[in-house]
Amino acid sequence: MKMVTAIIKPFKLDEVREALSVIGVQGITVTEVKGFGRQKGHTELYRGAEYVVDFLPKVKVDAAIQDSMLDQVIEAIEKSAGTGKIGDGKIFVFDLEQVIRIRTGETGEEAL
């Protein structure tokens, strides 16, 4: 099993959710986060004064999946979250050792 974490632009969330749903991902967790990558934030003008925005708003999408779905999930996120511009985000993939469904006690892939 794998845990796929994607950091994306907030306005792309609905497209990513739909793309994952189409390929059979049954559940995701979404968190509003702030951060920066290579672009190191940006400068904005507010009421005539310039100020630096160090942390940009992003959305973190987590999905626990079967190993066999990994390539499909990565492709779906890349296509639906990409704009071709700086700050599109990143995808991280982690090995997932165990999953337990609290309600039923199911474990492993059955719990996904």
Side-chain angles (χ1 to χ4, degrees):
M1 296 176 294
K2 302 287 185 200
M3 175 64 79
V4 177
T5 297
I7 309 296
I8 62 171
K9 292 183 175 185
F11 67 89
K12 286 295 197 170
L13 177 59
D14 286 338
E15 289 176 56
V16 170
R17 181 187 51 79
E18 181 63 29
L20 292 175
S21 179
V22 165
I23 62 170
V25 174
Q26 294 187 351
I28 63 172
T29 301
V30 177
T31 311
E32 291 182 11
V33 296
K34 291 183 180 185
F36 67 88
R38 291 183 181 167
Q39 77 268 32
K40 303 277 193 290
H42 63 281
T43 303
E44 288 190 1
L45 196 61
Y46 179 72
R47 293 191 176 180
E50 247 185 34
Y51 66 100
V52 177
V53 178
D54 292 328
F55 296 100
L56 301 173
K58 301 286 183 178
V59 172
K60 177 176 156 185
V61 178
D62 291 309
I65 61 167
Q66 299 171 355
D67 289 333
S68 61
M69 294 186 71
L70 182 60
D71 291 336
Q72 278 184 291
V73 167
I74 290 172
E75 184 180 345
I77 295 170
E78 283 180 326
K79 285 184 176 178
S80 59
T83 65
K85 297 183 179 154
I86 193 165
D88 275 353
K90 288 203 171 56
I91 300 170
F92 303 94
V93 179
F94 306 94
D95 285 323
L96 191 56
E97 289 186 28
Q98 183 64 285
V99 177
I100 298 114
R101 186 184 307 269
I102 295 171
R103 180 177 56 84
T104 63
E106 292 171 294
T107 61
E109 289 189 2
E110 294 173 2
L112 295 177

